[in-house]
Structure formats: structure tokens, C-alpha cells
Amino acid sequence: MDRRKFFQKCGAACGLGAVASTLLVESCQKSSSTPQGPSANFTVDLTKAGNAALTKSGGSGASNGVIVVNLNGTYIAVAQACTHNGCSVTYTNSNFYCPCHGATFDTNGKVTGGPTNIPLKKYTVTQSGNILTISG
Ligand code: FES
């Protein structure tokens, strides 16, 4: 069968296959630089035993898909799910680190290394006494 006859017989099926292949490749590429993370609006009570780590500088805790960190007395919060494949990031050595494939993010959620170029969503944290409000 010559090339012309092949394409005549193949017709729409070959076209759909080519479109599907293109869509699959595009869906696997992480090209967005828009930070990713869930919407949040919750409070953290620093007097509760489960939040004791947050009372110390460098301490962290996670809730509602958000990781909250005490950064030298100032609180920050970013999305907990890594923007590569969704593993939970941890806070260590002034960075967020993903143990699955090694992505790293700074305290603003900006990518500093690893297989993603999508930042972690950063949340607004306000403090009133012992209550933190995380929103965004
Ligand atoms: S899931 Fe985080 S680096 Fe792959």
C-alpha cells in the first residue's frame, strides 16, 4: 500500500490519534507558573497541644492542605501538596522540600529546584493573640 492510499484508508482515525497524542504530551508538561494550592480560610490556636511546634522558631504544622511555619516569630503558610505530583512538602533548613523527587521551594513558595516550575500557593497569615488566621 502506498502512502496516499494509507492516508485515504486511515482518514479520521489517524487524525484523532494525532490530536490525542498532542493533548497527552501537553497535559504532561508543567508549563504554568501560576502558584497552585487549595483555597483556605481557617484558624490555628497556638495554645492547643497539637500546635506546640508552631510556638518555636522553625517549627511547622499542617492543616487543611496548608503548611504553616514559624519563621523567627513571623508566620508563613504555603500549600502542602507539591506542584510536581502532589506529595506533601516539609519545612526544613529555611526551605520547603518534597521527599518524592526532590523539589525545593523558598519561603514564598517559589521553585528553587527539582522537577517542577510551578510555585506553591502562599497564603495570608494574620495573628491575633494566640490565634492565627490563614486565608487565600
Ligand atoms: S511530587 Fe514533589 S518532586 Fe515530585
Side-chain angles (χ1 to χ4, degrees):
M1 178 182 307
D2 70 17
R3 190 173 172 179
R4 185 176 183 178
K5 284 184 181 173
F6 172 78
F7 283 112
Q8 283 175 340
K9 285 192 175 203
C10 184
C14 287
L16 286 174
V19 169
S21 297
T22 301
L23 291 174
L24 278 172
V25 168
E26 287 178 2
S27 70
C28 291
Q29 294 175 338
K30 306 254 180 174
S31 60
S32 170
S33 60
T34 304
Q36 290 183 356
S39 295
N41 189 7
F42 63 95
T43 58
V44 174
D45 185 344
L46 296 173
T47 64
K48 296 223 169 164
N51 297 325
L54 284 170
T55 62
K56 298 178 179 126
S57 182
S60 64
S63 179
N64 299 293
V66 176
I67 184 165
V68 182
V69 175
N70 178 334
L71 200 61
N72 301 319
T74 300
Y75 290 93
I76 62 168
V78 301
Q80 187 179 23
C82 178
T83 56
H84 179 229
N85 270 344
C87 292
S88 294
V89 300
T90 59
Y91 179 75
T92 181
N93 298 326
S94 302
N95 285 297
F96 293 97
Y97 171 73
C98 178
C100 290
H101 310 105
T104 54
F105 306 85
D106 69 14
T107 54
N108 289 310
K110 183 181 168 200
V111 177
T112 55
T116 183
N117 60 3
I118 304 171
L120 298 172
K121 181 176 179 178
K122 187 170 184 182
Y123 298 88
T124 300
V125 182
T126 55
Q127 183 173 8
S128 178
N130 288 317
I131 304 296
L132 304 177
T133 300
I134 291 86
S135 59

